[in-house]
C-alpha cells in the first residue's frame, strides 16, 4: 500500500516567519502535487512536480521533489495570514492520486 | 458555472436512511473522483471513473456505498442505511483527458451529518 506521510501535522507561526512542510513516502511516484484547502472549500492545486530533483517556485512558495521521487517539501518564505490553510500533498499512481493527511498551517498577524 | 458543482452543500439525515450526493464535473473532463474527508483530515479515495472504462471501486468502504456516472458526465454517490461513522465531507473532483495524474479540480463538497 502506498502511503504519504506529511509533517508536521499542525503548525502555528507568526506573520513573517519562514516554514517548511514535508511529504514522505517509501514508494516512488510518477508525479507529486501540492494542494491548499481552506475551510468549507475543496482543495486547490498549487503545483505539480514530475522530475526527480525538480524545484518550482510560486511567489513565496518553493516546492522540491526528491531525487528518488519519494518525497517532497514545501517552503514558505515570510508567511502571511492569507497562507493559512490545510496543505495536502498527493502522489500520482495508476490513474488516481494518493493523498497525505495534510499539514494544517495557521499564520497569525 | 465553470467549476465542479456538488449538491446538496449540506445534508442532515437520520441513521438508517439512504442519501444521494450529486456531482457535476467540469465540461469535457473525462475523469471523475469521489473522496471522503473527516474533520480536518486528509482525503480518503472512494471511487474513480475514467471515460467509458469500468470504475475503480477499490476505495469504497462497504457495500452500502455505490456510485454511478451517467453519460460520462454527472455522478451520483449513494450511501444506503447510513451510519454515524458516515458523517464527513464528501468531495468530488474531475480532471481533463490526457496523460495520467492530471491535476484534479475539486468541488466544495457535501457536508453529511448522520444523527
Amino acid at each position: 500500500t502506498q502511503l504519504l506521510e506529511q509533517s508536521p501535522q499542525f503548525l502555528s507561526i507568526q506573520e513573517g516567519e519562514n516554514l517548511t512542510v514535508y511529504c514522505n513516502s517509501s514508494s516512488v511516484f510518477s508525479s507529486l502535487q501540492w494542494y491548499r484547502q481552506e475551510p468549507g472549500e475543496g482543495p486547490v492545486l498549487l503545483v505539480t512536480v514530475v522530475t526527480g530533483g525538480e524545484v518550482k517556485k510560486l511567489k513565496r512558495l518553493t516546492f522540491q521533489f526528491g531525487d528518488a521521487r519519494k518525497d517532497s517539501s514545501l517552503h514558505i518564505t515570510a508567511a502571511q495570514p492569507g497562507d493559512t490553510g490545510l496543505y495536502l500533498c498527493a502522489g500520482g499512481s495508476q490513474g488516481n492520486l494518493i493523498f497525505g493527511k495534510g499539514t494544517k498551517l495557521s499564520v497569525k498577524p | 458555472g465553470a467549476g465542479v458543482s456538488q449538491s446538496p452543500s449540506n445534508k442532515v439525515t437520520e441513521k438508517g436512511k439512504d442519501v444521494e450526493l450529486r456531482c457535476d464535473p467540469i465540461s469535457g473532463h473525462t475523469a471523475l473522483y469521489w473522496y471522503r474527508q473527516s474533520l480536518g483530515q486528509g482525503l480518503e479515495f472512494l471511487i474513480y471513473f475514467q471515460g467509458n472504462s469500468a470504475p475503480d471501486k477499490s476505495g469504497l468502504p462497504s457495500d452500502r456505498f455505490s456510485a454511478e456516472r451517467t453519460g460520462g458526465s454527472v455522478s451520483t454517490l449513494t450511501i444506503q442505511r447510513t451510519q454515524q461513522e458516515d458523517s464527513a465531507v464528501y468531495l468530488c473532483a474531475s480532471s481533463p483527458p490526457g496523460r495520467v495524474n492530471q491535476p484534479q479540480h475539486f468541488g466544495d463538497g457535501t457536508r453529511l451529518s448522520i444523527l
Side-chain angles (χ1 to χ4, degrees):
Chain A
T1 302
Q2 292 179 303
L3 291 174
L4 279 167
E5 302 283 344
Q6 289 192 245
S7 61
Q9 188 175 357
F10 299 98
L11 188 56
S12 180
I13 61 171
Q14 292 295 129
E15 181 176 3
E17 293 183 4
N18 302 332
L19 67 115
T20 303
V21 298
Y22 300 92
C23 174
N24 296 302
S25 176
S26 58
S27 303
V28 175
F29 289 97
S30 57
S31 66
L32 202 134
Q33 300 175 7
W34 284 91
Y35 292 79
R36 186 173 81 198
Q37 184 179 23
E38 299 188 31
E41 299 181 4
V44 175
L45 179 73
L46 296 174
V47 77
T48 300
V49 286
V50 296
T51 305
E54 182 176 3
V55 176
K56 279 192 174 179
K57 290 195 173 185
L58 186 67
K59 297 183 181 178
R60 293 177 294 100
L61 278 61
T62 302
F63 304 85
Q64 186 165 9
F65 200 13
D67 290 343
R69 290 186 289 131
K70 292 182 179 181
D71 53 80
S72 181
S73 64
L74 158 59
H75 182 80
I76 301 178
T77 304
Q80 298 177 0
D83 296 327
T84 293
L86 179 67
Y87 289 80
L88 296 158
C89 67
S93 184
Q94 297 294 326
N96 41 344
L97 293 175
I98 310 296
F99 279 83
K101 293 189 174 183
T103 292
K104 191 168 185 178
L105 172 65
S106 174
V107 182
K108 299 179 180 178
Chain B
V4 176
S5 178
Q6 291 189 245
S7 60
S9 55
N10 286 283
K11 176 73 176 179
V12 181
T13 193
E14 293 179 346
K15 176 182 171 181
K17 300 285 189 184
D18 297 352
V19 295
E20 284 189 353
L21 312 179
R22 178 186 168 104
C23 174
D24 279 277
I26 292 172
S27 178
H29 281 195
T30 53
L32 187 146
Y33 309 79
W34 282 99
Y35 296 91
R36 180 168 68 177
Q37 185 175 34
S38 299
L39 186 62
Q41 297 295 307
L43 275 62
E44 176 188 3
F45 166 74
L46 297 178
I47 188 168
Y48 158 51
F49 297 89
Q50 174 61 274
N52 295 321
S53 302
D56 176 355
K57 304 179 180 180
S58 60
L60 294 178
S62 78
D63 59 7
R64 296 186 296 105
F65 288 73
S66 62
E68 291 184 341
R69 189 178 185 193
T70 53
S73 182
V74 172
S75 177
T76 301
L77 176 68
T78 301
I79 309 173
Q80 296 178 308
R81 304 181 302 281
T82 52
Q83 304 293 315
Q84 288 185 333
E85 61 262 28
D86 299 334
S87 296
V89 175
Y90 289 82
L91 289 161
C92 174
S94 67
S95 61
R99 55 181 172 82
V100 294
N101 304 136
Q102 291 278 50
Q104 296 186 12
H105 301 257
F106 284 84
D108 287 338
T110 293
R111 182 175 299 277
L112 177 63
S113 300
I114 309 299
L115 303 179

